[in-house]
Amino acid sequence: MDEDLVERLRRGDGRAFDQVFARYRPRLYGFLARLSGQPALAEDLLQETFLRLARHAPKLAPGTRLEAWLFTVARNLYLSHRRWALLDLARSSELMMWSRLAPPLASPLAQATADQELAALEQALAELPLVYREVLLLVGVEGMEPANAASVLGVSGAALRQRLSRARAMLRELMEDRDK
Amino acid sequence: MSERDELMERLRGLPQHDVSDLRAAAIQRRARAALAPRPAGGFALAYRRYLEPAWVTALAAVHLGWAFFQVIQLYR
């Protein structure tokens, strides 16, 4: 099905774009929101991801897997934003020492989730280091095929399995600590 | 169900977050506008028709080289 969509996108077909948007928007937004922990930032990155798709549509290779392509772009945009944000934080913390004084905030997504158990899971996910959080989001939450997830993260299949296993163990530890 | 499967099952059960309909429509409209092929102006059309082919570029390079050689000859 992706092949047909890619072909139509390459021709600049607006309806094909609408289909891709409807199919991937919630998944991409969920991924970005949980990756960043900031819904507003996730909206901006979502928009930028689809703008990139629109601009690159004529140059898409015929066999492109849209799912992997979109998630790769979204992830790269977040990483790029994060690098700049860290630079800014380093500068501002020199002036105000905020980074040491501010207590860790509960993730807005966790706060918005009514179910306590799910909120605890959201919070534990948000506390995972980025490399483990992203693999769990792709494979666990989004249900992406491991081959596609490995392609998005730019790692081999073996490395992905190892990272996934470690991520699961860390998440379980965090959940158990919370239960105690 | 193993502990591992149970954890993955719980992850799959997390609620889906989404942008508001209004925001989604705005994002879609903006991105879709970038998809539409831009109308080409007269210069762009002429460039595509007469200047873009590789043989034109090659021919122009030969002529430029010849002209450069003539200038060198003139002042030698």
Side-chain angles (χ1 to χ4, degrees), chain B residues 46-63:
Chain B
Y47 176 79
R48 268 185 223 152
R49 185 166 302 168
Y50 302 113
L51 297 177
E52 204 173 35
W55 68 268
V56 176
T57 310
L59 195 65
V62 169
H63 276 86

Side-chain angles (χ1 to χ4, degrees), chain A residues 13-15 17-18 21 25-26 29 34 43-44 46-47 50-51 54 57 109 117 121-122 125 136 140-141 143 168 171-172 175, chain B residues 3-4 7-8 10-21 23-28 30-38:
Chain A
D13 183 340
R15 270 181 289 185
F17 183 83
D18 292 343
F21 188 80
R25 184 200 72 214
Y29 177 75
R34 289 191 169 103
E43 284 183 13
D44 291 345
L46 179 77
Q47 173 167 293
F50 279 107
L51 275 171
L109 291 176
E117 196 189 340
L121 189 57
E122 288 272 18
L125 255 180
L136 274 182
V141 181
R168 271 194 300 252
L171 185 67
R172 202 174 302 124
M175 294 293 285
Chain B
E3 203 177 347
R4 193 183 82 171
L7 185 65
M8 296 309 267
R10 284 169 71 189
L11 282 173
R12 287 307 299 275
L14 280 174
Q16 197 169 51
H17 299 286
D18 202 357
V19 287
S20 68
D21 288 347
R23 181 82 167 114
I27 292 173
Q28 185 173 5
R30 190 157 175 227
R32 205 179 192 275
L35 179 75
R38 289 183 183 84

Side-chain angles (χ1 to χ4, degrees), chain A:
Chain A
M1 191 177 276
D2 263 10
E3 279 177 22
D4 176 49
L5 278 177
V6 168
E7 195 45 51
R8 287 165 57 202
L9 278 175
R10 280 160 52 85
R11 293 198 303 263
D13 183 340
R15 270 181 289 185
F17 183 83
D18 292 343
Q19 280 181 31
V20 174
F21 188 80
R23 188 188 298 174
Y24 290 106
R25 184 200 72 214
R27 294 182 60 200
L28 277 170
Y29 177 75
F31 172 69
L32 285 166
R34 289 191 169 103
L35 196 63
S36 66
Q38 300 169 55
L41 173 64
E43 284 183 13
D44 291 345
L45 296 179
L46 179 77
Q47 173 167 293
E48 190 55 37
T49 304
F50 279 107
L51 275 171
R52 297 260 170 120
L53 175 67
R55 288 180 193 137
H56 285 79
K59 291 180 240 158
L60 286 174
T64 304
R65 285 174 299 176
L66 279 177
E67 183 189 47
W69 195 93
L70 286 166
F71 276 86
T72 304
V73 170
R75 173 179 178 262
N76 288 343
L77 284 170
Y78 171 66
L79 292 182
S80 175
H81 167 85
R82 191 167 177 261
R83 268 192 290 275
W84 284 106
L86 285 175
L87 276 175
D88 274 354
L89 186 68
R91 277 202 297 264
S92 59
S93 66
E94 279 170 18
L95 295 172
M96 299 188 216
M97 311 287 282
W98 276 359
S99 59
R100 279 185 227 168
L101 297 175
L105 297 172
S107 144
L109 291 176
Q111 288 171 343
T113 308
D115 188 316
Q116 275 196 337
E117 196 189 340
L118 289 179
L121 189 57
E122 288 272 18
Q123 188 62 40
L125 255 180
E127 284 171 22
L128 280 178
L130 180 68
V131 285
Y132 299 116
R133 188 162 73 242
E134 61 185 8
V135 71
L136 274 182
L137 287 175
L138 290 175
V139 181
V141 181
E142 299 303 330
M144 192 181 277
E145 292 293 323
N148 275 359
S151 153
V152 170
L153 300 176
V155 296
S156 67
L160 180 94
R161 280 192 295 277
Q162 198 176 22
R163 207 179 274 188
L164 186 60
S165 163
R166 180 83 189 109
R168 271 194 300 252
M170 285 178 82
L171 185 67
R172 202 174 302 124
E173 278 171 27
L174 280 171
M175 294 293 285
E176 281 166 6
D177 287 349
R178 200 168 293 276
D179 290 342
K180 279 176 194 168

